[in-house]
Amino acid sequence: MSKRVKIKHLIKEGQPGEKVTVSGWVRTFRQNRFISLNDGSCLSNMQIVVDFENMEESIIKSITTGAAISASGEVVESQGRGQRIEIQAETIEIHGLADPDKYPLQAKRHGLEFLREIAHLRFRTNTFGAIFRIRHSASFAIHKFFNDRGFYYMHSPILTGSDAEGAGEMFQVTTLPLNDVPKTEDGEVDYKQDFFEKATNLTVSGQLEAELGALALSEVYTFGPTFRAENSHTSRHLAEFWMIEPEVAFCDLEDNMNLAEDMLKYIIQYVMDHNREDLDFLDNRLQQEEKSKPQHQRSPMALIEKLEFCLANDFERVSYTEAIRILMNSKPNKKKKFQFVIEEWGADLHSEHERFLVEKHFKKPVILYDYPKDIKSFYMRLNEDGKTVGAMDILFPGIGEIIGGSQREERLDVLLSRMKEMDIPEEEMSWYLDTRRFGTCPHAGYGLGFERMILFVTGMANIRDVIPFPRYPGSAEF
RNA sequence: GGUCCUUUAGCUCAGCUGGUUAGAGCAUCUGACUGUUAAUCAGAGGGUCCAAGGUUCAAGUCCUUGAAGGACCGCCA
């Protein structure tokens, strides 16, 4: 096995006359002669030509879709069209059989919902191979982007004793026996007897901890799993998802927007440069799918076209106030076509409004900023007008909110009064407030939902199909 | 948490207004062919029509309840 060559390398570099060994999983075996072998290194398969007259019959019988094999032989120029080279097999070693009566994957297209039920095997399809190679690339690109700019990768805790992050419902973590929970005298759960001697949860955000890091290391980012126990039934929410949260000292909202836009474009460019074959495949797959849809439901741009457009154009930066003006003057608002008609400044924007701005009005990614303080979190910096905070959301076509961020409130007195307004207990946040007591400075950051980014780059429709083992209400299989 | 949709062969689906023995393509198996690449040709096997109850002379088809899956809304990334 030491001489094994990856198919990706062979396709690029392989020369006729070389003796090679390739290992992988059989996709199809045609005419007892042609094996299409995939090893996951790239989308393309290597064609192995078998001389079945001179091959043991038990081996020929074992070459079925899904079987794991190694093939050794000489690289030759392919006589057929469709590939530059192929391998003339001299020996074939069978590592693992796949009973064709029971193996659920066939050389045909399966529905995504069926594949979700066999998520442990869906890696072996072209579509999911492409998605997870792209997911890897995007993940690597994010580390490279921040590393090249002098950011430090900071590991924020996954188990947290802080319950004031305010980003959503939390999963409780405990070692207390659920069928016999110890109680205090007044009938409350006695967390003193729990593992951490206090109530703990899975993190919903690493932001507050990242702020602590940024106020010493200047520029940090987190990239880790995040957990929200929201009962969300949509195609863009997960109970366990990966989030990227950069936090930058001496940075205002505009710097923050610039960083976010640069990062998103960098990721897209990186994937375009390194995963072209996978993108072409997904693009093609999507176009086939579009053909079966009625005209008005078809997307205006193909996948790669959409990514290129995104790279070539500045994101539209619009203040909340301006967005409200546009929405109030819009046709659907005037004709009361919106489910929630915008009546006045201060209204919360629903996804129908965001979609109108992104998909109908501007037709490109939009950054909305300076939201009313009443609809945003306590840590966002109060603007001079006293009414708005330095928040920004980046909205992508077809996805909605992909990034949420803000300049943080660095002034202790303002932060304390905001916390009081919003009933955030001061005692529990003293560690956070210390950064404002000692050497506070302007700083800003944001959170990127990694799976939403992958959704956009792959053109997939459901977030459950861009993470290997999705977690959502009622589902924690595998 | 709310609204709506779907469930028929291993997979993707058709099945009209309720009416004989429930169909197709792909996959599988057998045979033919052997430079194919979604191979082709011939044949075969494969069904708890999601479940339970009801209406009816008659239910895959209509009704009720439940289950599973999905879409959208709210919450957000």
Side-chain angles (χ1 to χ4, degrees), chain A residues 161-333:
Chain A
S162 154
D163 60 357
E165 285 160 344
E169 285 299 309
M170 301 179 107
F171 287 101
Q172 288 187 41
V173 175
T174 183
T175 55
L176 293 176
L178 285 179
N179 49 5
D180 184 22
V181 178
K183 297 280 176 67
T184 60
E185 279 172 17
D186 43 2
E188 301 287 311
V189 174
D190 187 8
Y191 285 109
K192 279 272 171 259
Q193 295 189 43
D194 204 351
F195 187 88
F196 294 108
E197 300 181 12
K198 66 179 294 195
T200 48
N201 299 292
L202 293 178
T203 183
V204 292
S205 162
Q207 179 202 314
L208 301 186
E209 290 90 347
E211 282 187 54
L212 313 182
L215 265 63
L217 300 167
S218 282
E219 293 168 323
V220 301
Y221 70 104
T222 72
F223 187 167
T226 310
F227 309 87
R228 306 235 172 129
E230 302 286 352
N231 194 17
S232 301
H233 296 101
T234 81
S235 52
R236 48 181 201 288
H237 287 86
L238 290 167
E240 175 184 285
F241 64 100
W242 288 66
M243 188 151 65
I244 294 95
E245 295 179 287
E247 196 66 38
V248 184
F250 310 105
C251 172
D252 64 16
L253 191 66
E254 197 187 344
D255 300 329
N256 202 30
M257 290 193 262
N258 292 340
L259 180 70
E261 183 167 345
D262 287 352
M263 180 199 67
L264 292 172
K265 286 179 172 172
Y266 184 91
I267 299 167
I268 293 169
Q269 185 67 60
Y270 189 91
V271 170
M272 297 251 284
D273 291 344
H274 293 81
N275 298 76
R276 189 61 193 216
E277 188 188 24
D278 292 321
L279 283 177
D280 280 335
F281 173 82
L282 292 172
D283 191 321
N284 201 273
R285 182 184 176 284
L286 233 64
Q287 286 183 45
Q288 297 296 323
E289 212 167 69
E290 292 275 304
K291 282 180 193 164
S292 61
K293 285 188 192 165
Q295 198 82 41
H296 68 279
Q297 279 180 25
R298 293 184 194 175
S299 48
M301 275 186 242
L303 175 60
I304 290 175
E305 194 184 352
K306 183 185 80 177
L307 297 178
E308 280 168 348
F309 176 85
C310 201
L311 287 176
N313 292 280
D314 289 339
F315 296 179
E316 196 70 37
R317 299 189 186 191
V318 190
S319 71
Y320 166 87
T321 304
E322 172 67 5
I324 286 290
R325 198 189 59 77
I326 293 168
L327 286 166
M328 285 181 39
N329 287 324
S330 71
K331 260 190 203 164
N333 203 63

Side-chain angles (χ1 to χ4, degrees), chain A residues 383-444:
Chain A
N383 286 324
E384 300 304 312
D385 59 16
K387 297 191 306 183
T388 61
V389 290
M392 64 114 176
D393 283 355
I394 303 190
L395 312 174
F396 264 24
I399 312 281
E401 187 176 344
I402 196 165
I403 277 181
S406 65
Q407 183 171 344
R408 318 307 188 188
E409 183 55 75
E410 84 280 11
R411 299 162 295 187
L412 182 64
D413 54 333
V414 184
L415 184 57
L416 283 172
S417 73
R418 287 283 288 145
M419 283 171 70
K420 194 163 252 171
E421 270 175 46
M422 302 178 85
D423 285 325
I424 312 282
E426 196 184 316
E427 324 74 73
E428 301 215 3
M429 299 296 287
S430 66
W431 52 274
Y432 181 71
L433 293 167
D434 266 359
T435 53
R436 273 65 169 174
R437 294 191 182 105
F438 311 116
T440 190
C441 75
H443 63 288

Side-chain angles (χ1 to χ4, degrees), chain A residues 3 30 74 91 113 159 224 340 354 375 379 385-386 411:
Chain A
K3 285 187 295 181
R30 287 182 297 274
E74 190 176 327
T91 60
E113 284 136 36
L159 295 173
F340 298 92
E354 296 180 347
I375 59 172
Y379 51 75
D385 59 16
R411 299 162 295 187

Side-chain angles (χ1 to χ4, degrees), chain A residues 44-59:
Chain A
S44 296
N45 302 322
M46 179 52 60
Q47 175 155 285
I48 318 287
V49 183
V50 182
D51 211 356
F52 64 86
E53 296 91 343
N54 302 313
M55 190 73 72
E56 214 176 297
E57 197 178 333
S58 68
I59 290 186

Side-chain angles (χ1 to χ4, degrees), chain A residues 114-133:
Chain A
F114 169 70
L115 292 172
R116 214 172 288 151
E117 288 170 21
I118 51 164
H120 55 302
L121 293 173
R122 66 181 179 171
F123 295 96
R124 300 186 184 193
T125 62
N126 284 335
T127 301
F128 285 93
I131 290 167
F132 292 126
R133 277 186 297 270

